[in-house]
Structure formats: structure tokens, C-alpha cells
Amino acid sequence: MIIENLYPTPIGFFKYEEGLTEAQINFLSGQEQRPNDGNTSSVDRYLLKQKKLANLTTYIEKCVHEYLMATICPKNDVRLRITQSWLNWTKPGQFHHKHAHPNSLFSGCYYVNANKETDKIFFYKDGYQRIKFPPVEWNSYNSESWWYPVGTGDIVLFPSELTHMVQPVGGEDTRISLAFNTFPVGHIGDEDELTALYLGK
């Protein structure tokens, strides 16, 4: 038997080897927090626009471009601009509610502090199931959810409509992630197909 994966959902994984400086860590640690559903998030919703994080922003932009070219492969001059970006703090026992990211093409997380032994990101396949079979074992075809371990310095990119969450955090440390959204800038679509759209900078 041969099984082909048709229209797979791409999840991108990168590692920020350079890491944050002590000054950057202190800057992020000092961010004002606001309540979220299950955890807390930063009041600043545009953190990656801060000059103090310029090198991290540049690296994430490179990752986003590589992901765009490997998945969509646009023929026109188009790039993805980071729109909003914010911190999430999830203490042991806390969670991050199930959600997706409207008004964004791709979203991602940079993990400021996470333990690969205990921290995971969960993705969900939503939608009505006409027939549901209890499986002998779970795989990427029959699963309703799937998780990946995440650690400090990891960057995960995914389509913004993909539902995801953080289940209650184990261990003793607070999980800190910097989440961000993106939106295309440039020439989108095709004039001959009457789908042309120019989104300026």
C-alpha cells in the first residue's frame, strides 16, 4: 500500500541559537502583565517592534520568510510582516485556553523559558466528524489533537487558523512564550486571474 499526504498542515520548527542577552531577559521580565484566560499576557502587544529586541525580531523575520517560501512559494514580490507580538506567562498548574489567531496568515511562538521535558504545544483538528471510530492506536490521520515538546529558544510557526492550546503546565518553572502574528505585504494574487491585490508597506 502507498499512502500520500495530500494538503498537509505545515508546522515549522526553528532554534534561536544566539539566545537572549541578560538585558533582553530583564526587559521582558519587567513587562506589565494583564489577566488572560488561564494565564497572563503582556500589556504591550507589539513587543517585537521594541529596539531592545531588534536581533530577535530580525531572526524571527528570517524564519517566517523561510517558512513562507517553503510552503506557499509565492511567485510575486511578497513578504510577511509581523503585526502584533506579546508575552504569555503560564505558571505551574495554569493553562493557555484553546484558540486560533484571526486576521493573520501565519502565527508563531518564541519560547523565552520552557522545559522540553514538560512543556508542549497542542494542536487540534476541529470540525464535525461524520463517522468516528475508536482507534487501536493514534496517528496523524485519526488524531483529534497532536502535541510537540518545546524548550527555551525554540520557535514554532503554524497557519493562524490552526487551533492550539497549552494544557496545565507541570514542573516548577513558569513557561514564558512570545507569540506573534503575521500578514502579507506586497503583490498578492494574479492580474490575469483577476485576483491581484497590492498591500503596500
Side-chain angles (χ1 to χ4, degrees):
M1 175 178 65
I2 297 174
I3 296 179
E4 295 284 345
N5 290 312
L6 183 63
Y7 312 131
T9 300
I11 311 294
F13 296 91
F14 300 84
K15 185 77 172 183
Y16 185 49
E17 300 288 355
E18 181 178 328
L20 298 176
T21 65
E22 185 176 348
Q24 289 173 324
I25 292 173
N26 290 336
F27 170 71
L28 293 175
S29 298
Q31 291 299 308
E32 185 179 354
Q33 300 181 32
R34 59 187 288 179
N36 196 14
D37 188 359
N39 58 1
T40 57
S41 62
S42 61
V43 171
D44 189 340
R45 303 300 203 182
Y46 298 91
L47 277 169
L48 289 175
K49 292 185 181 295
Q50 299 284 352
K51 290 183 179 179
K52 293 181 179 179
L53 299 176
N55 56 341
L56 174 62
T57 302
T58 298
Y59 183 76
I60 289 176
E61 287 174 339
K62 289 179 181 177
C63 295
V64 166
H65 182 72
E66 184 178 337
Y67 179 81
L68 172 70
M69 299 310 292
T71 56
I72 294 180
C73 305
K75 72 173 184 178
N76 295 330
D77 180 21
V78 62
R79 66 180 178 85
L80 293 179
R81 180 173 61 89
I82 295 173
T83 54
Q84 291 193 286
S85 50
W86 62 97
L87 282 173
N88 297 303
W89 291 267
T90 311
K91 297 179 180 179
Q94 291 186 327
F95 64 95
H96 197 153
H97 66 288
K98 193 175 176 182
H99 64 287
H101 293 227
N103 297 331
S104 174
L105 183 61
F106 296 132
S107 296
C109 284
Y110 166 68
Y111 291 91
V112 178
N113 188 60
N115 184 340
K116 210 140 197 168
E117 298 297 318
T118 56
D119 288 321
K120 305 173 180 69
I121 182 169
F122 282 78
F123 293 104
Y124 291 85
K125 181 170 63 179
D126 291 331
Y128 170 72
Q129 295 184 42
R130 293 184 302 277
I131 301 174
K132 187 173 182 179
F133 299 96
V136 173
E137 66 178 295
W138 297 103
N139 59 45
S140 58
Y141 299 105
N142 62 23
S143 294
E144 298 173 19
S145 66
W146 202 262
W147 60 264
Y148 297 97
V150 292
T152 300
D154 288 346
I155 296 173
V156 181
L157 299 176
F158 50 89
S160 299
E161 71 272 15
L162 186 59
T163 305
H164 55 285
M165 74 167 296
V166 177
Q167 293 194 343
V169 169
E172 300 178 352
D173 296 327
T174 298
R175 168 187 175 135
I176 306 173
S177 63
L178 199 167
F180 53 90
N181 290 330
T182 67
F183 205 78
V185 173
H187 293 274
I188 301 166
D190 187 277
E191 289 187 3
D192 292 336
E193 295 178 2
L194 303 180
T195 59
L197 173 65
Y198 177 70
L199 298 177
K201 303 177 189 285

